[in-house]
């Protein structure tokens, strides 16, 4: 039973998100729990409705559950609920509208967060409540879905420019929730060693550039959005390699 659950990495990610949310909920006020419930419920319901109306599918969209957790877990839960619903809508709708070759190229949750950072919405990344848990589970995830090249490429190109900047340790800036959950989302990060290194590398250098020149925008969200834009090019340059599912 346990091995069957672990085989579907979406279940692993959702379980991780539940635990992280529980840890944060024990530290935060009750509004955080309500904020998460609204975000997850809205994303799941909207995705279910779109699938039913336009694709004639009646499925429980586990990927939308993950999207809801990420968007509501990162946005500042002290803001308006109407804003939360707006960015959740953008996240889900982008998955269905922005497609190339029948596939969405942008990480859905990150799309919603990208528009949020464009509009200067504050992000608390409250869902990153236990770095140790994220790293342990994250290592299992990237091993099982073959995403080590993505992580290595990102960490190398993000950290390297800091060698020329005194007094800054790049590893203290890295958001590990982003690295182990968002960066490696299978459908929008691709497969294969070479593609993974390029994908992570572009995400890393983009994040650094946004950190240096556009500090008012979230560096990781914008870095991932930038590299996702290259996905149609990556699809032509690299073979897809082995497959695994998370969403």
């Amino acid at each position: 039973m346990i091995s069957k659950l672990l085989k579907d990495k979406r279940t692993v990610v959702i379980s991780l998100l539940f635990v992280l949310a529980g840890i944060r909920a024990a530290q935060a006020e009750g509004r955080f729990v309500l904020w998460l419930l609204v975000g997850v419920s809205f994303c799941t319901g909207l995705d279910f409705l779109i699938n039913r109306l336009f694709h004639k599918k009646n499925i429980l969209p586990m990927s939308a559950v993950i999207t809801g957790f990420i968007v509501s877990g990162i946005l500042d839960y002290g803001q308006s609920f109407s804003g939360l619903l707006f960015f959740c809508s953008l996240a889900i709708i982008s998955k269905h509208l922005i497609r190339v070759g029948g596939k969405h190229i942008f990480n859905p949750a990150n799309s919603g967060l990208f528009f949020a950072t464009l509009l200067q919405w504050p992000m608390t990344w409250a869902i990153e409540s236990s770095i140790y848990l994220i790293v342990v589970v994250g290592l299992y995830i990237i091993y099982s879905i073959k995403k080590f090249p993505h992580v290595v490429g990102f960490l190398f190109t993000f950290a390297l420019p800091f060698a020329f900047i005194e007094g800054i340790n790049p590893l203290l800036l890295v958001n590990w929730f982003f690295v182990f959950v968002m960066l490696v989302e299978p459908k929008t990060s691709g497969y294969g060693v070479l593609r993974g290194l390029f994908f992570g590398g572009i995400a890393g250098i983009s994040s650094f550039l946004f950190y240096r020149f556009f500090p008012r925008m979230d560096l990781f969200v914008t870095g991932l959005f930038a590299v996702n834009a290259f996905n149609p090019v990556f699809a032509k340059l690299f073979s897809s390699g082995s497959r695994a599912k998370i969403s």
Side-chain angles (χ1 to χ4, degrees):
M1 180 65 178
I2 295 178
S3 61
K4 186 176 181 180
L5 290 175
L6 291 176
K7 188 174 181 179
D8 189 339
K9 298 307 175 295
R10 294 172 299 180
T11 304
V12 176
V13 172
I14 291 174
S15 299
L16 171 64
L17 292 170
F18 263 108
V19 174
L20 293 173
I23 294 173
R24 180 62 67 193
Q27 305 167 345
E29 54 194 59
R31 181 183 170 89
F32 174 71
V33 177
L34 179 60
W35 183 265
L36 277 181
L37 288 174
V38 170
V40 173
S41 300
F42 184 81
C43 283
T44 305
L46 179 59
D47 201 40
F48 178 85
L49 185 62
I50 292 175
N51 278 316
R52 182 169 183 176
L53 291 178
F54 297 100
H55 306 294
K56 310 304 179 184
K57 297 178 180 178
N58 292 311
I59 58 174
L60 176 63
M62 294 178 68
S63 60
V65 174
I66 296 173
T67 297
F69 260 114
I70 293 175
V71 174
S72 55
I74 291 175
L75 291 177
D76 180 6
Y77 59 89
Q79 303 299 311
S80 69
F81 280 94
S82 60
L84 171 64
L85 297 181
F86 175 68
F87 294 120
C88 283
S89 298
L90 291 177
I92 297 300
I93 292 173
S94 71
K95 180 173 70 171
H96 295 278
L97 284 184
I98 308 175
R99 305 176 73 88
V100 175
K103 300 177 181 179
H104 59 278
I105 63 173
F106 290 99
N107 181 308
N110 195 70
S111 292
L113 294 171
F114 174 73
F115 288 107
T117 195
L118 277 180
L119 296 175
Q120 301 293 299
W121 254 60
M123 299 182 187
T124 62
W125 290 84
I127 198 69
E128 192 189 34
S129 57
S130 173
I131 293 177
Y132 298 109
L133 180 62
I134 290 169
V135 171
V136 170
V137 177
L139 286 172
Y140 166 73
I141 292 173
I142 65 172
Y143 168 77
S144 60
I145 62 175
K146 299 178 174 61
K147 296 291 183 175
F148 268 108
H150 300 66
V151 173
V152 171
F154 174 83
L155 292 177
F156 178 77
T157 58
F158 179 70
L160 183 61
F162 285 98
F164 305 97
I165 303 175
E166 293 186 12
I168 299 179
N169 182 348
L171 294 181
L172 296 179
L173 295 176
V174 171
N175 185 302
W176 297 106
F177 179 86
F178 168 81
V179 171
F180 287 115
V181 177
M182 297 174 64
L183 177 72
V184 299
E185 193 277 322
K187 288 189 176 181
T188 55
S189 63
Y191 292 89
V193 174
L194 193 56
R195 179 171 179 172
L197 290 172
F198 270 87
F199 184 91
I202 293 176
I205 193 62
S206 297
S207 295
F208 170 79
L209 291 174
F210 278 105
Y211 169 79
R212 290 291 292 173
F213 301 109
F214 302 95
R216 297 184 66 181
M217 298 181 68
D218 187 280
L219 66 156
F220 300 114
V221 168
T222 47
L224 181 55
F225 191 86
V227 73
N228 277 163
F230 284 91
N231 274 332
V233 177
F234 290 150
K236 292 181 179 181
L237 291 178
F238 307 108
S239 60
S240 58
S242 58
R243 299 281 178 179
K245 281 192 175 181
I246 214 173
S247 62

